[in-house]
Structures are given as C-alpha cells and as structure tokens.
Amino acid sequence: MGGMEIQIAVAKTNKYAVTDSGDTIEVVERPNGGLSVVLADGQTSGRGAKAVSMMVVRKVIGLLAEGVRDGAAARAASDLLYTEKQGKVTSTLNILSVDLHTGTVVITRNNPIPFYVARGERIDCIGEESKSIGTARNTRPVISEIPLEPGMMLVVYTDGLVHAGERKGNPMDVCTSLKAMREGQDPSPQAVADALLSEAVNLDDGRPADDISVVALKVLKHTGDDVRRMTVRLPVNVR
Amino acid sequence: MGGMEIQIAVAKTNKYAVTDSGDTIEVVERPNGGLSVVLADGQTSGRGAKAVSMMVVRKVIGLLAEGVRDGAAARAASDLLYTEKQGKVTSTLNILSVDLHTGTVVITRNNPIPFYVARGERIDCIGEESKSIGTARNTRPVISEIPLEPGMMLVVYTDGLVHAGERKGNPMDVCTSLKAMREGQDPSPQAVADALLSEAVNLDDGRPADDISVVALKVLKHTGDDVRRMTVRLPVNVR
C-alpha cells in the first residue's frame, strides 16, 4: 500500500470547576510497531473517577507493551476493575490501534456510545451494542477493524461530548457537525477534535457539564520526511 | 505564578535502513497532575536495542503511575536492566517531569550527554557527570530542577544527535545551533526539535548513523483556552 502518514489528535477538557478529569488518555508505541491510543472514562468525576480511569489505562498499556492483544487487554482491565471495586464501579474503554502488519486500525470498544468513520462523502456511525467494563464478569469488547487508506478519518470520544447541551434541551449531534466540517474541506484531525470540543463547550455555555475527550485519527498520503513527531500542549495553573 | 502553557514537542528518526529505533519515548500523565516525558536509548540499534529501551521506559512509566518519585523510578529501571541482562547491556534514560506542585520541571538524567536550558539570551548546558543505567549496582541519576517560567525552553536528546556528522569530521554543535535559532526569534518547540533533527540528518547526508530523538519543552504565558491538546504524526509503510 506504500507510504502513508497517520495523524492522531486529542483535545481534552475537564468538567467545569473540577480539577481532576475522570478521563484518561495515553498514546503508546506498540512493541511490533504502530501506536495505540487508550481512552477510559471512569464513573462520576473528580479524583475517584481519575483513579479508576488511570488504573484501567495503565493496565491496558502495560499488557499491550507485553504483546497482549487488544481484546484480551480490555477483558483483563474489566476483570481488574471488577475485582478491585467489587463490581460497583464502571468505566468506558476505547483502544485504537494502528497495526502495521494488518494495515488496519483496530478499534476495541467497551462503551455504549458509538464512534465515527469518515471516508470521502460518507460518514458511518459504528454503534453496535457495547458495555462498559467493571460491573460484570466476562465483559467482552466489540472489535472493529478498518483498513488504513488515505482520506480515512476516525473520531472517538467520551460521553461528555454527546451529553453537552442536554441540560438546555439542545444536545450535540456529532454526525451533523462532522458532515458540516468536511463539506468541501479536508480539515486536519486537530481542527476536527478542536471544533467538536469547542462546539460542546459552547452548548454548555462555556461550563462543561462533564469531562470531554475527543480523538481524531486521519490517514494521509505520505509526502514529507520519515520523522515521527509529537506535540503536547498543557495549560497549567501553578499554585 | 498564574496561568502558563507547557508545550512539548518530539521529533524522532531511525538509523538509516533500520526499521526498529533503539530509542523509546513516551509522554504520560502523572497521577497528581502534570506530565512526564520518558526517553531511553538502548545499547546498539535494531530489535535488541528497541526491546531494552522499551523495557526501561515501561518500568519507569509504570512506577511513575503509582506515584513513585522520578529518581527512585530511574534507580529501579537500572536495577531491572542490570538483573535482566547480567550487567552487560546499558541504556541511557532521561525523565522530564512537569511538576505542578513545585512549579518546576524535574530532569532526571542517566546519560553522559548534557541537555540545554534556554532563558532569554542565555543558554546553559547542564552536563554534570552522569552514567547510563544497567551496568552497575547503585547507579544513581543526576537530578536538576528548573522553575517553570514563561520563555524557558529545555532541549533533551539522545546521542545520535551529537554524533551526527562525526564520520565526516564535521560534528553537530547543539549549543551554536540553538543560539542561531533563537536569535531575534521565538521558535515553537516543534520548530526547534525539527530544526535540530534536520540539521543532524543533513550532516549524515540524509542517512542517520544512529537513531535520533529530540525533545523540546517550552513554557509560554497562557493565552488560549483550557483545553489539553496532543498531536502525533507517524509516517508508515504498510507491508
């Protein structure tokens, strides 16, 4: 299939007036090449939720680093959470893996909310029933596999995005927003993640009712050099 | 000290004609807020070196996630490598941690090569003697702590950067390059990391003699929103 460039962008904000986000997201290298993005949203918000989502993400990336397959890592994280919290605490989990051997993105999902795949004019909502982890034994993820091809874009997010605006009876419609953004344009994944997050924050009058994380993954034709790049921007308040 | 934005940029390339980089770098969230960048360069190159640097980085990020202090995590990684490889394999290790409680960046270094701190017109080379991990018991890191303040920039890299050009008797001088770049300008960390990497690759006639990773961390006044952002760009060849 030749040279491509994978671009992954993340935009993340906290629930209004809450310091700790209940969402945790990490991007890690896979032992056989490629990358995985691991995103968890722990139940409720604040410190407790943060500890849950960090535990889930750490378990998953530790196992991925050992070569464990994504589906098995998701099941292990569910069992760990179930055992640690006696089945009383739940978390969503999404794993996006760029697998260079199969030439696909593998999406492992324990999350009732769907994700989107855009190719050309078409936007598909992938929403087969899927349960969060931690509250039942034998919780299995739903796994989708999507070929890496230039022009393809994936959008995955935590439920804070789709709950935005609900208080005011004006909920966010991700598919419509994505369609509008892509009309006649070819936005970067950072532009897509930023625009979706910003729309959600506006629907909540600038005071997000929940933690929100948005991930956009885009495949492009490879035109530049062979350098891997990563940029992180972290607004901070130093006490 | 109020609002600031931390920007971290990474640029990374492999030794010419080698698929696996011996360098591993991960950026992870700290359990009490802030971020850590963990960079290891395993001895030699290719698959063996990759396995070593991944093992070292995984150990460190696993411990940081549990709240272990950076210095203790570095010592643990050294002991692990010493035990696993009977003291026969070495790796460099740099940990850069943005610590929001102390308002500093903590640099934990097991690496003979120095790093740079730029503030205003001044560029300091921090190069106290420091040993790589894995070949002796009780290998301790050198720890530096630098206050977070707008305008400060840190540049950390693996030795591939400074060995570039040596074959041709025209080695890279990072300090001079940094000075030239900053003269009358205020380059972004990605621009700095990209420029240093690109200069090194050019000195090696486009065929890097070693894996090269460059990290630039910059502190800015906070002007935008409270969104955390991350972008990853990964050139791939799908088989």
Side-chain angles (χ1 to χ4, degrees), chain A residues 116-137:
Chain A
Y116 287 91
V117 188
R119 279 166 287 206
E121 297 296 292
R122 190 169 147 193
I123 297 182
D124 294 314
C125 178
I126 314 286
E128 294 148 76
E129 195 189 331
S130 167
K131 290 201 176 88
S132 299
I133 64 171
T135 51
R137 290 186 189 283

Side-chain angles (χ1 to χ4, degrees), chain A residues 1-14 20 23-35 47 50 54 58 61-62 65 98-104 148 190 194 197 222 225-239, chain B residues 1-14 20 23-35 47 50 54 58 61-62 65 98-104 148 190 194 197 222 225-239:
Chain A
M1 272 180 279
M4 291 184 263
E5 181 171 289
I6 316 288
Q7 295 187 353
I8 299 168
V10 175
K12 182 166 184 280
T13 197
N14 294 2
D20 289 302
D23 294 353
T24 295
I25 182 162
E26 303 278 8
V27 180
V28 292
E29 240 183 282
R30 295 174 68 80
N32 297 309
L35 289 177
R47 269 198 97 75
K50 183 69 199 174
M54 275 197 101
R58 294 300 166 178
I61 66 180
V98 175
D99 185 330
L100 303 181
H101 290 286
T102 57
T104 58
L148 286 170
Q190 190 72 63
D194 282 358
L197 181 61
H222 184 195
D225 51 31
D226 278 326
V227 176
R228 285 180 175 218
R229 293 183 171 84
M230 174 163 52
T231 310
V232 177
R233 295 177 57 185
L234 175 71
V236 298
N237 271 295
V238 175
R239 285 165 284 266
Chain B
M1 271 182 279
M4 290 184 262
E5 181 171 289
I6 317 288
Q7 295 188 354
I8 299 168
V10 176
K12 182 167 184 280
T13 197
N14 295 2
D20 289 302
D23 295 353
T24 295
I25 183 162
E26 304 277 8
V27 180
V28 293
E29 240 182 283
R30 294 175 69 81
N32 297 310
L35 289 178
R47 268 198 99 73
K50 182 70 200 171
M54 275 197 100
R58 294 302 166 177
I61 65 180
V98 174
D99 184 330
L100 302 180
H101 290 285
T102 57
T104 59
L148 286 169
Q190 190 72 64
D194 282 358
L197 182 60
H222 185 195
D225 51 30
D226 278 326
V227 175
R228 286 181 174 215
R229 293 183 171 84
M230 174 165 50
T231 310
V232 177
R233 295 177 58 186
L234 174 72
V236 298
N237 272 298
V238 174
R239 287 163 284 262

Side-chain angles (χ1 to χ4, degrees), chain B residues 50-73:
Chain B
K50 182 70 200 171
V52 166
S53 63
M54 275 197 100
M55 180 174 76
V56 168
V57 169
R58 294 302 166 177
K59 186 67 190 174
V60 171
I61 65 180
L63 291 169
L64 295 183
E66 292 168 6
V68 173
R69 293 166 64 97
D70 297 24

